[in-house]
Amino acid sequence: MAKVSELNVNGKQVPCDAEGERSLLSVLRDDLDLTGSKFGCGEGECGACTVLLDGSPVRSCRTSVGNVGAKQITTVEALEKNGKLHPVQQAFIDMDAMQCAYCTSGMIMSAVALLKKNPSPNREDIVRGMEGNICRCGTYDRIIEAISRAATAMKEAR
């Protein structure tokens, strides 16, 4: 696979020098110093490394940087705007939806994608939409409530 010399990350064209076979996660963390996405299982099963690729959640540990092309990569670092947290981020804080917080960035990115696709999810929609994101601390009820509250806040802000 060919080397990658540029990526579209968080709305900017960013130069890089990466072998195409490398994982997107390693390039984001090690080369671009975007450390919000975490290495969890390395097999795409836990969701800690989730980023958005053209708005869809992907496991960056299993995505080769050479397969990204010109797609827009969005990381958790891009959600805050002008000192204001994204409603999902704020809801996670308000609901104390994390303990160790290792899974949180992946959970938030999956939730952002879910709410973009379905702005009024019920509990079952949220559970289904968050499948594959694992919280080892078990704060699932608070995570579900945080996503529900974020959906409400986002509707009210429109």
Side-chain angles (χ1 to χ4, degrees), residues 99-113:
Q99 264 179 11
C100 80
Y102 202 82
C103 69
T104 303
S105 63
M107 290 277 187
I108 286 171
M109 297 309 290
S110 291
V112 166

Side-chain angles (χ1 to χ4, degrees), residues 39-54:
F39 180 88
C41 66
E43 298 177 4
E45 298 294 325
C46 75
C49 66
T50 302
V51 299
L52 304 183
L53 201 57
D54 283 347

Side-chain angles (χ1 to χ4, degrees), residues 67-153:
N67 290 330
V68 172
K71 294 178 182 167
Q72 171 61 48
I73 303 160
T74 306
T75 69
V76 71
E77 289 90 348
L79 297 182
E80 172 272 327
K81 302 285 188 222
N82 300 317
K84 185 173 166 80
L85 294 176
H86 186 282
V88 174
Q89 291 173 306
Q90 188 61 56
F92 266 65
I93 291 168
D94 293 346
M95 289 307 303
D96 198 22
M98 64 235 124
Q99 264 179 11
C100 80
Y102 202 82
C103 69
T104 303
S105 63
M107 290 277 187
I108 286 171
M109 297 309 290
S110 291
V112 166
L114 168 66
L115 294 179
K116 184 175 182 187
K117 185 176 174 183
N118 180 357
S120 299
N122 61 33
R123 181 179 176 82
E124 293 77 29
D125 295 333
I126 294 169
V127 169
R128 195 173 330 106
M130 298 302 289
E131 283 180 4
N133 286 86
I134 297 171
C135 173
R136 286 171 172 66
C137 300
T139 63
Y140 294 111
D141 287 336
R142 291 183 290 190
I143 290 167
I144 292 166
E145 182 61 26
I147 296 167
S148 180
R149 284 188 182 209
T152 300

